[in-house]
Amino acid sequence: MTILQETNVTTGATVWLTGLPSAGKTTIAHELAGLLRAAGRRVEVLDGDEIREFLSAGLGFSREDRHTNVQRIGFVADLLARNGVTALVPVIAPYADSREAVRKRHAAHGTPYVEVHVATPVEVCSVRDVKGLYAKQAAGELTGLTGVDDPYEEPEAPDLRIESQHQTVQESAAAVHTLLSERGLA
């Protein structure tokens, strides 16, 4: 009888990057993923747009639908993290109670959870406008844009606050990596 033994199992974690559209969340997450993979970590980026397409298709942008979307992503992130994967989650998650519910789910399982607020001002985000959302909103073609005509509740006590307009993507990713290292998660 052969007994399989897991080796090199490391502690996973969820790193939730919250912030406005075009704040730099996904860009930082992908840069951080590269740093972690180079160090031998198992990493998955749970991109908000991809999740909406594949896991949360059919959900709209009402407060209830946004909450449901965040809870689904939080469930998947916790599942991955409990199995040794560092789940990087660049998702707006505009409501504090939704983010807190995800944090509590992680705490209930003893899963490390780190909240990073990518605190880029709306004026900078609207200039970056990666997906053209701010232009559509300004032209009256879009309503419910988080941080403009729909609420974004900034985290009161994030584990890390990044002002991406004042540093490079590499510096932002390095700041998160340093925090993870300090907590034994990188």
Side-chain angles (χ1 to χ4, degrees):
M1 176 179 197
T2 304
I3 298 174
L4 297 177
Q5 182 177 356
E6 289 188 54
T7 57
N8 299 323
V9 176
T10 58
T11 301
T14 294
V15 180
W16 199 289
L17 296 102
T18 180
L20 296 173
S22 296
K25 301 175 301 296
T26 301
T27 305
I28 294 167
H30 283 288
E31 183 71 21
L32 177 59
L35 293 173
L36 293 168
R37 286 185 183 116
R41 298 290 301 197
R42 296 185 324 162
V43 179
E44 289 294 334
V45 177
L46 301 178
D47 180 81
D49 293 332
E50 292 175 1
I51 296 291
R52 273 214 174 256
E53 181 179 351
F54 297 108
L55 186 63
S56 294
L59 289 179
F61 291 91
S62 67
R63 183 179 181 103
E64 181 180 319
D65 282 355
R66 289 176 192 240
H67 178 77
T68 298
N69 185 49
V70 167
Q71 297 317 297
R72 288 177 182 176
I73 297 167
F75 172 82
V76 173
D78 180 46
L79 187 64
L80 288 167
R82 283 188 281 137
N83 285 280
V85 176
T86 301
L88 305 179
V89 186
V91 173
I92 296 168
Y95 302 112
D97 60 342
S98 295
R99 294 189 305 267
E100 184 58 27
V102 171
R103 182 185 292 275
K104 285 180 179 177
R105 168 184 294 282
H106 282 69
H109 293 121
T111 310
Y113 179 86
V114 176
E115 183 178 70
V116 177
H117 180 204
V118 182
T120 310
V122 69
E123 299 79 23
V124 174
C125 294
S126 65
V127 170
R128 289 180 182 171
D129 204 10
V130 178
K131 299 173 199 160
L133 299 175
Y134 293 93
K136 287 180 182 177
Q137 192 276 336
E141 300 168 14
L142 175 75
T143 59
L145 181 58
T146 302
V148 178
D149 60 353
D150 209 56
Y152 177 74
E153 299 170 357
E154 289 193 9
E156 292 183 16
D159 297 288
L160 180 65
R161 179 181 165 93
I162 292 175
E163 295 183 4
S164 70
Q165 73 277 17
H166 297 307
Q167 59 192 39
T168 66
V169 171
Q170 293 77 17
E171 290 168 335
S172 295
V176 181
H177 189 268
T178 297
L179 176 63
L180 294 176
S181 295
E182 290 169 354
R183 295 187 179 184
L185 302 171

